[in-house]
Amino acid sequence: MCGIIGYIGTKKAAPILINGLLRLEYRGYDSAGIATIEKNGLSVMKDKGRVKNLYNLDGIDDLEGTIGIAHTRWATHGKPSKENAHPHLDNSNSFAVVHNGIIENYNDLRNFLVKNGYTFRSQTDTEVIPNLIHYYYSKDKVDDKNKVLRAVQHACKDLKGSFAIQVITKYLPDNLIVVRKDSPLVIGKGDGENYISSDIPAILSFTKDFYLLDNYEIAVLSRDQVVFYDFDLNKINKKVTSIDWNATSADKDGYEDYMLKEIYEQPNAIRETIGSRIPENEPCNFEDLSFTKEFLFSINKIYIVACGTAMHAGLSGKCAIEHLCNIPVIVDVASEFRYRNPIIDKNTLCIYLSQSGETADTIAALKLAKSKGATTLAISNVIGSSITREADYSIFTHAGPEIAVASTKAYTSQVVLLNILAIYFAEVLGSAPVEEIKDLKNEILALPEKIESALKTSSQMKEYAKSIYQEKDMFFLGRGIDYNTALEGSLKLKEISYIHSEAYAAGELKHGPIALIESGITVISILTDEKLVEKTISNIQEVITRGAKTLVITNKELPSNNIDVIINVPDTCTLLSPILSIVPLQLLAYYISKEKGLDVDKPRNLAKSVTVE
Ligand code: M6R
């Protein structure tokens, strides 16, 4: 949930670190800090609040050090405060540490250290780490060049939970040490300099060559090289991965907010997702997927497991796979899946959807399925992300970096990719009519242009937002595939406008929620599924009768039927309609948030990547 940045080179580290933190702020933003190695030892500067506050700290401009570590925090243990901000120092001020993750046994470790004379300045779990490193360092009687490395290794072996940590120390003034377990960390390889980050976009403007650290790996960085070790300090080799993302795509490109930029990037993101996967007059093509025909025929059940928006994309994936492949699909929330005893065998395919590829619950759910013998497929937007390294197979949405906490282009590209995957399965299995598949492919290829049209609803949604931004509660209704869009539209609204909203399957309304419908309440309905239109219209009439204000998103010609506002999106086949009908709802959430003067990209209490449980 937190973001970490590190630099070792010949330039002044502080500006590079702060700049990197600004790019990582979406991962956490309640406090921030940096530590550098200065001529007279370690310097630590930190404060509560946003990263930009660091610019105002006395002496920040005087830092000359060319090695440093930095952190932007999303509080888990201890409230947001200067004391709890990272970096943390050991009692002798010799080791500075930043940490992303959670140390589950920190209470035991703290008690152990207290018994050994250590004191604590913060309420964080992290502060045990520099003190443990110091403990092992001072106990080690061998005074060789690996003494710090051994101390870091011993300390990390004591930690339970998840961690990506960076360590600098006055004892090794030309090195920086990093370790990783279940929290993301990448090393960017430069020329005479190296970078560390929680994720790739934050350092993409410096390098496109990355080392992807795996669990229980340690790296010792110097200016010219990176030496890798396993947890027993055996040297290991790691390959460089080159990333072809464009650095400018991680910037705002003139848009007021990342979220708006990412909403408008959807046509291109989907072009990239489609890529060469739908060749003309040939079956769909997943070069990166080597499922055998026998395996595809043997699948008796598919799980799609994810969190939040990715889970909503999974619901539309279920519609596509069940309809085209006739294989039952269960969509599950990762945090539930991981703690139940899912019925899985070697004929079960488990698909894990995660934009970031770092979501702790989704990764744990994948590991569980693997341990039960299922075949696992990860769908992520981030090449080299943890989930893709755990899964048997991985495919990528290629939607480009998504920075805003509220997911938009990652969602639509996931729905597109799941549809292409369903077609790919159906073509191998021969389970769907050739004509239907042909139409679906043509509709997928037409999506980028249709999204351009859906984006033209922007001014209508901006106006509508002005009329409802002060509301306290709202309802979203839909049937069939439109219920998925209702869920996602409702989540977008909650996340960035802080308006309470509920999404219901329209037919469920009369089983309870209709009791909440009263004069003046806003009910937003999605209506794209031909065979269900009339049913949903009846539900809308039920709320109109009770005084609700209504907005309908549809791709059908509807009689006005006393509906207050009808927003038209381009028509497409039912399986793809969520990709178009969500666009006005993304825009609505965005404009309501702006009307309320809120921070669209960094909503309160949320973080982009939920790397803790
Ligand atoms: O990176 P992931 O796709 O695994 O993230 C899953 C959810 O945390 C994420 O979709 C979350 O719900 C977003 N904030 C939604 O906008």
Side-chain angles (χ1 to χ4, degrees):
M1 300 291 264
C2 310
I4 64 183
I5 282 279
Y7 175 74
I8 178 163
T10 49
K11 301 179 192 119
K12 275 169 87 162
I16 295 172
L17 296 173
I18 298 176
N19 192 18
L21 285 185
L22 286 168
R23 289 171 181 270
L24 280 179
E25 227 183 359
Y26 65 86
R27 296 181 65 91
Y29 33 84
D30 60 45
S31 53
I34 68 171
T36 52
I37 304 184
E38 300 296 314
K39 283 199 187 83
N40 53 352
L42 289 180
S43 152
V44 173
M45 296 207 179
K46 54 189 186 178
D47 207 354
K48 187 180 164 185
R50 291 290 166 89
V51 170
K52 62 178 178 352
N53 296 356
L54 294 176
Y55 287 123
N56 304 327
L57 295 181
D58 267 355
I60 199 106
D61 296 332
D62 304 329
L63 295 174
E64 297 287 338
T66 57
I67 299 179
I69 57 178
H71 187 272
T72 177
R73 180 168 185 253
W74 185 85
T76 56
H77 297 69
K79 63 180 193 305
S81 68
K82 184 173 174 179
E83 297 68 44
N84 290 334
H86 300 215
H88 290 282
L89 287 164
D90 70 301
N91 284 179
S92 72
N93 296 337
S94 309
F95 296 92
V97 169
V98 297
H99 161 229
N100 176 20
I102 287 184
I103 306 305
E104 288 164 4
N105 58 337
Y106 86 102
N107 254 329
D108 293 344
L109 296 172
R110 204 174 162 119
N111 291 339
F112 167 80
L113 288 163
V114 168
K115 274 189 201 134
N116 281 279
Y118 288 82
T119 55
F120 287 85
R121 310 171 219 203
S122 77
Q123 290 91 49
T124 64
D125 52 342
T126 302
E127 203 183 348
V128 297
I129 305 173
N131 284 315
L132 266 183
I133 296 173
H134 177 266
Y135 171 81
Y136 285 112
Y137 184 82
S138 48
K139 287 263 170 278
D140 192 340
K141 298 298 168 228
V142 184
D143 215 359
D144 63 2
K145 67 177 178 36
N146 282 341
K147 187 169 174 178
V148 173
L149 181 58
R150 281 194 301 277
V152 171
Q153 176 220 19
H154 285 307
C156 288
K157 283 203 166 183
D158 284 352
L159 305 179
K160 291 203 178 113
S162 57
F163 50 87
I165 62 171
Q166 300 189 92
V167 185
I168 52 173
T169 169
K170 64 178 189 185
Y171 298 122
L172 277 184
D174 291 311
N175 291 111
L176 199 164
I177 299 182
V178 297
V179 194
R180 178 206 153 150
K181 192 218 151 210
D182 291 337
S183 266
L185 192 84
V186 297
I187 298 172
K189 183 178 172 302
D191 190 8
E193 57 186 4
N194 289 300
Y195 298 83
I196 295 153
S197 176
S198 299
D199 69 22
I200 290 168
I203 49 175
L204 209 51
S205 52
F206 302 118
T207 180
K208 294 204 175 344
D209 293 331
F210 292 87
Y211 295 109
L212 309 171
L213 214 61
D214 282 311
N215 279 342
Y216 300 110
E217 287 181 350
I218 305 175
V220 179
L221 288 84
S222 50
R223 291 177 175 87
D224 295 317
Q225 63 169 346
V226 187
V227 182
F228 295 96
Y229 299 88
D230 66 16
F231 230 34
D232 294 320
L233 297 190
N234 301 305
K235 277 194 187 170
I236 50 174
N237 289 322
K238 295 212 57 99
K239 279 201 215 114
V240 171
T241 303
S242 291
I243 302 290
D244 62 0
W245 283 354
N246 180 346
T248 57
S249 62
D251 287 333
K252 277 193 205 157
D253 248 353
Y255 285 92
E256 231 175 284
D257 303 278
Y258 280 114
M259 182 180 177
L260 192 62
K261 173 181 175 242
E262 287 157 10
I263 291 173
Y264 275 88
E265 277 175 346
Q266 289 180 106
N268 260 341
I270 284 169
R271 275 185 200 103
E272 294 293 326
T273 305
I274 299 169
S276 57
R277 286 163 170 157
I278 310 186
E280 225 181 315
N281 302 323
E282 279 177 48
C284 280
N285 159 18
F286 277 92
E287 277 169 0
D288 29 7
L289 209 55
S290 51
F291 286 146
T292 62
K293 211 170 167 174
E294 293 66 41
F295 171 69
L296 291 181
F297 271 98
S298 75
I299 298 173
N300 57 16
K301 179 172 53 180
I302 294 178
Y303 269 101
I304 300 182
V305 183
C307 302
T309 285
M311 194 275 288
H312 296 157
L315 292 169
S316 295
K318 169 187 166 84
C319 296
I321 296 171
E322 288 191 338
H323 179 74
L324 297 175
C325 311
N326 208 22
I327 301 174
V329 179
I330 302 164
V331 179
D332 211 344
V333 171
S335 54
E336 292 294 317
F337 179 95
R338 66 181 288 191
Y339 291 116
R340 65 170 120 255
N341 189 12
I343 301 166
I344 284 174
D345 60 29
K346 63 177 178 25
N347 299 119
T348 312
L349 172 64
C350 292
I351 301 177
Y352 294 85
L353 280 181
S354 174
Q355 186 285 130
S356 62
E358 304 295 348
T359 302
D361 284 322
T362 314
I363 295 172
L366 183 144
K367 287 181 182 166
L368 173 71
K370 249 178 121 175
S371 72
K372 284 173 160 271
T375 299
T376 55
L377 166 64
I379 300 184
S380 178
N381 193 33
V382 181
I383 292 169
S385 57
S386 303
I387 204 162
T388 63
R389 283 184 278 156
E390 291 287 344
D392 298 315
Y393 300 92
S394 299
I395 51 176
F396 296 92
T397 40
H398 299 304
E402 191 180 68
I403 307 294
V405 166
S407 182
T408 52
K409 64 176 181 172
Y411 169 74
T412 44
S413 64
Q414 281 166 346
V415 180
V416 171
L417 191 54
L418 284 165
N419 270 277
I420 304 177
L421 188 70
I423 297 174
Y424 164 75
F425 287 171
E427 284 178 326
V428 176
L429 300 171
S431 52
V434 174
E435 271 313 301
E436 184 177 2
I437 287 193
K438 195 171 155 205
D439 289 348
L440 188 54
K441 284 182 177 175
N442 286 336
E443 283 299 328
I444 292 176
L445 293 169
L447 278 173
E449 272 184 35
K450 291 192 178 186
I451 294 200
E452 304 274 7
S453 308
L455 286 166
K456 295 199 175 116
T457 58
S458 178
S459 48
Q460 286 167 286
M461 299 325 287
K462 191 173 181 177
E463 272 313 297
Y464 188 69
K466 287 184 186 150
S467 69
I468 59 165
Y469 76 96
Q470 283 169 321
E471 309 234 329
K472 298 274 176 274
D473 298 288
M474 287 192 209
F475 287 88
F476 287 75
L477 302 180
R479 277 174 185 259
I481 208 157
D482 293 328
Y483 174 46
N484 308 345
T485 308
L487 286 166
E488 175 57 9
S490 171
L491 179 65
K492 283 293 88 84
L493 183 75
K494 283 180 198 128
E495 279 189 294
I496 58 167
S497 76
Y498 315 150
I499 294 176
H500 168 251
S501 72
E502 299 282 348
Y504 283 103
E508 270 291 291
L509 203 63
K510 56 188 168 301
H511 297 287
I514 200 161
L516 295 170
I517 303 297
E518 55 186 11
S519 181
I521 200 149
T522 295
V523 177
I524 297 176
S525 309
I526 302 97
L527 250 135
T528 67
D529 188 339
E530 186 81 66
K531 35 185 213 314
L532 299 171
V533 164
E534 283 185 6
K535 303 269 175 214
T536 312
I537 287 187
S538 303
N539 300 127
I540 297 171
Q541 295 310 313
E542 287 161 12
V543 300
I544 290 177
T545 312
R546 286 160 180 85
K549 296 184 286 182
T550 49
L551 170 85
V552 168
I553 312 283
T554 185
N555 56 16
K556 305 284 174 264
E557 287 291 323
L558 291 186
S560 103
N561 267 329
N562 297 324
I563 297 165
D564 296 307
V565 183
I566 297 182
I567 300 291
N568 290 104
V569 289
D571 199 8
T572 185
C573 52
T574 304
L575 288 177
L576 303 176
S577 66
I579 298 157
L580 300 171
S581 51
I582 194 59
V583 174
L585 296 178
Q586 295 169 339
L587 289 163
L588 180 64
Y590 173 80
Y591 286 121
I592 290 180
S593 180
K594 291 301 274 185
E595 271 311 313
K596 293 179 84 168
L598 301 173
D599 188 339
V600 173
D601 287 337
K602 300 185 189 84
R604 69 183 180 203
N605 305 339
L606 292 174
K608 179 70 180 163
S609 211
V610 187
T611 53
V612 293
E613 231 191 300

